[in-house]
Each structure stands twice: as structure tokens, then as C-alpha cells.
Amino acid sequence: MGSYTELLKTSGVARIIAAQLTARFPSGMLSLAFLLHVEQQTGSYGAAGLVLAATSIGQAIAGPLTSRLMGRLGMRPVLTATLVVCASSVIAIGVLPLTVPLYMAVGLLCGLATPPVQPAVRTIYPKMVNSRQLTPLFSLDASAQEIIWVVGPVVTTFVSTQIGTVWGILLAAVMMIGGTTWFIASPELGRVRIPRSKRRFGTVLARPAVLLATVVGFLLIGACAAVEAGVVAAFGHDGAEAGIVLAIFSIGSLAGGLTLGHVPISPWSTARRMLIVFVGVSLAAFAMEFWWLAVTLFIAGIGIAPALAVLFSIVSVSVKFSDTAEAYGWVGTGQLIGAALGSAAAGFLIDGYEAVGAFWAASVLAFLGVVVPALARRWHPDLRGRDASPIPDTEPVPVTPS
């Protein structure tokens, strides 16, 4: 834990982590808030699902596009413009009496304008700490983001059911505005400028490590989404069991990230950490009982944040600084598509085989998440004793006082 204490004492690190977590907190709120609100307004979960799908499609498209724009226009202008559009769209869904097609259109706009906070902060990190601290910082960040997925749904459910669905959406909008404004105002954004990339859009995917991180992220988050659907199907919406089990799943990830974050990254690291996830979700499929799922999913969770930390690190070390934001945008898009397809596959299997079907889907995705990096280990960077910072651009990167 000493390495994390040292990190948090580094100038600006604690502030930027807190700001970006607050800005991204609505990610753990909006899907559930939209689901509850649109279902209440239309009387159809199917309609609510269409709105969520439109929002996810917008986010998947926007990820690499808005991230690349930060190199052309600057981080603060892009973050500010997307914040205005996205927050306005969120508020519109909450307060306007819309038809389902209009809900979908506004949801798509909301997704397209999602502020690219995650690519921005991943780009800033290498300029804030030395190379020795970078991998632990990625691990700390991946662990801390579990707070979003533990607390966000709980807060949304409480506000939406006890006060009203409109207020659940408006609370998410307030968090988005406040957190993103705090992040935009952070001095670190003024000290670092992303150089304009000289390569064509999408070329960064030709980097084997970026493609590997995108594919493994797709499989990992797809498995997690299937697990979430399976847990809800096993316990239903009425009791507290589903929320408690999913919280334990996230706590396992938090514990794993803090415990394994300092372990050096080798070509086998991604496969080994994904193996932990596979073992946990595979064992979970044997019994849909509360304590069994709590224990097995805690085990599975131990591999999640460490695996994400490895993916962030191998992307960082494999691309030029001017391409880092776009690269992380592609990785985020892979994860979003994984979440959508993982949920869809789980839904079909739940209909046919009840809750256990979702865990079958999660097990297959997690198994592929072991196989892919194992087969691709020759393209997996070996960071043992190596600087994890991005490849420098040929021209100097301006660093100006805030």
C-alpha cells in the first residue's frame, strides 16, 4: 500500500482522480435511471431497452472521435462542448414528455456527446508521475472506478423509487455538470496539450497492443455485463440480494486492483488475470445461491481491475503521446460494445435456461479473454523494468504553466 500512499502524495494526483471519478459517476447512474424513467413513462421495458441501446451506440461511435478531437482543438474546448450537449440531453430525457422515437434520438445525442473524460485522464497520467509510478496509478484508477459501479446504482435506485425517476435523472445531470466542470478546471489540463496526430483516424488500431487491449476489454466487460444480468435474473428486482452480490463483485475488483497493482507486467499478465475472472464466473454457474455467488464472484472480481490496469498500461507504452487519447477511445468503444452484446447474449440465454444461462455466456467470454492474450503474448509488451510512458512524439510537447 506504500506505493499508493506515495502516489496520492504526488502533486495533483489525488485531485485529478477525485475530479474524474465525480465526472464519470453518472456512468453508474444513467443506464438504470433511463431504464426506470422510460419504463414508467411508456409502460414498456422494451422501449426503455431501445433508448439504452441508442445511448450505447452513440457512446461507442463517439469514443475515438471526440478523443481524437482533443488533439486538434484541445481538451478543455472538447470537454466543455460535449458537457453542454450531453447534460442538456440528459435533462431533456428527464423533464420532456417524449415519444419513444424521440427518447431514442435524444439518447443517441446524449451518447454521441458523452464527455471524453476517461481518455483525457489516461492521457494526462503519464505527465503527472514518473515511469515507475505509472502502472500503479493505472491500477489505482481502475480500482477506484469500482466506486462508480457500487454506489451509482444504489443511489439511483433509492432516489428514483423513493422520490421520483425525474429526480434520479436530474441528480445524474448535476453530478455530470459539477464533476466535469471540476475536471475541466483542474490545473493539469492547462499544463498538458495533446499534439495533433499526423496519422489517419483509426490507424492506431494497427498497433497490436491497442487491438489486443480493445478485444480483451470487449471480452472482459462483456463477461461482467452477462454476470450482472444473471445476478438480477437469479434474485429479481424486489429484494436486496442482487445489489449486495453485485457490490461484492465490485469490492473483489477493488481489492484485486489494490493488491496486484504493483506486480510487474509480463507478456502473460493479461491472460493470468483474466484466468482469475474465468475461474470465478465458471464456479458461479454451479449454484444460484446467495452465498455461493457472493464468494465466487468476489474471486472473479479480483481479476477485473488488475486486468484493466494491464490493458491501460500496454496501450500507454505502445503508442505515441499524440495518439493516446484516440487509442483509449477505441478501447472504451470495445468495452461498450462488449457490455451491450454481453447483456444481449445473457438475456437470450436467461429466456431459454433461466439465470444460469447468463453465467454460461460470461464463462465463454471470460475463457476467450484468457485464450486471446495467451495466443497473442508475442505482441503483449513486457513492462518488467521498463518505462510505461507513451512513445515521445518527434516534436516537443508544449507544457505551459496553469
Side-chain angles (χ1 to χ4, degrees):
M1 297 297 290
S3 59
Y4 298 119
T5 303
E6 181 184 351
L7 265 177
L8 294 174
K9 289 180 179 178
T10 302
S11 177
V13 169
R15 178 178 58 244
I16 203 72
I17 289 178
Q20 63 97 6
L21 282 178
T22 306
R24 293 168 53 207
F25 196 81
S27 299
M29 302 175 69
L30 281 176
S31 293
L32 186 54
F34 284 175
L35 177 71
L36 294 172
H37 180 72
V38 176
E39 189 279 330
Q40 185 182 84
Q41 298 301 309
T42 64
S44 169
Y45 277 106
L50 289 174
V51 175
L52 293 182
T55 305
S56 296
I57 290 170
Q59 290 174 326
I61 294 171
L65 291 173
T66 54
S67 299
R68 188 177 175 92
L69 278 176
M70 289 193 292
R72 291 179 174 271
L73 306 176
M75 286 187 281
R76 279 176 169 156
V78 172
L79 287 164
T80 301
T82 52
L83 171 62
V84 171
V85 176
C86 188
S88 299
S89 302
V90 170
I91 294 170
I93 288 177
V95 302
L96 297 180
L98 304 174
T99 61
V100 172
L102 284 176
Y103 274 127
M104 292 177 63
V106 178
L108 178 64
L109 180 62
C110 175
L112 288 170
T114 299
V117 173
Q118 186 168 340
V121 77
R122 301 269 187 267
T123 301
I124 291 170
Y125 281 158
K127 301 300 179 183
M128 296 182 64
V129 297
N130 60 46
S131 58
R132 178 180 57 84
Q133 295 175 307
L134 188 54
T135 297
L137 178 55
F138 280 132
S139 182
L140 178 62
D141 180 273
S143 302
Q145 74 179 7
E146 292 300 331
I147 296 170
I148 296 171
W149 310 112
V150 174
V151 181
V154 174
V155 172
T156 300
T157 301
F158 177 80
V159 173
S160 297
T161 57
Q162 301 302 314
I163 303 175
T165 57
V166 172
W167 292 104
I169 290 175
L170 292 180
L171 176 61
V174 169
M175 293 288 291
M176 178 186 295
I177 294 168
T180 308
T181 300
W182 181 16
F183 181 71
I184 292 169
S186 299
E188 290 72 23
L189 266 75
R191 296 190 184 118
V192 178
R193 183 180 69 80
I194 305 172
R196 183 189 293 259
S197 176
K198 296 181 174 65
R199 283 156 288 282
R200 293 192 305 274
F201 177 72
T203 303
V204 70
L205 277 175
R207 294 277 185 177
V210 177
L211 184 59
L212 176 62
T214 302
V215 172
V216 175
F218 162 85
L219 295 168
L220 172 59
I221 302 304
C224 293
V227 165
E228 291 170 1
V231 169
V232 171
F235 298 108
H237 298 273
D238 299 328
E241 292 94 340
I244 293 172
V245 170
L246 291 177
I248 291 171
F249 188 36
S250 293
I251 290 169
S253 177
L254 176 62
L258 295 177
T259 303
L260 301 176
H262 65 284
V263 176
I265 294 173
S266 75
W268 283 99
S269 290
T270 301
R272 288 170 179 162
R273 297 175 190 209
M274 286 300 300
L275 181 62
I276 299 172
V277 180
F278 168 66
V279 170
V281 297
S282 298
L283 289 173
F286 283 93
M288 298 294 103
E289 302 294 333
F290 175 83
W291 285 110
W292 179 256
L293 289 178
V295 172
T296 55
L297 291 183
F298 179 85
I299 293 171
I302 290 172
I304 295 173
L308 289 172
V310 172
L311 300 184
F312 298 148
S313 296
I314 66 174
V315 169
S316 174
V317 78
S318 302
V319 300
K320 290 189 175 182
F321 182 64
S322 57
D323 291 324
T324 51
E326 183 189 340
Y328 286 124
W330 283 112
V331 173
T333 290
Q335 293 175 4
L336 284 166
I337 295 172
L341 294 184
S343 296
F348 282 115
L349 289 171
I350 289 169
D351 287 341
Y353 303 96
E354 298 186 340
V356 69
F359 290 92
W360 295 343
S363 298
V364 171
L365 290 167
F367 177 71
L368 292 174
V370 178
V371 172
V372 169
L375 294 177
R377 62 189 181 277
R378 70 169 68 181
W379 298 294
H380 190 297
D382 187 345
L383 302 186
R384 290 173 295 186
R386 180 181 170 187
D387 187 341
S389 299
I391 301 168
D393 287 87
T394 53
E395 62 185 40
V397 177
V399 179
T400 58
S402 60

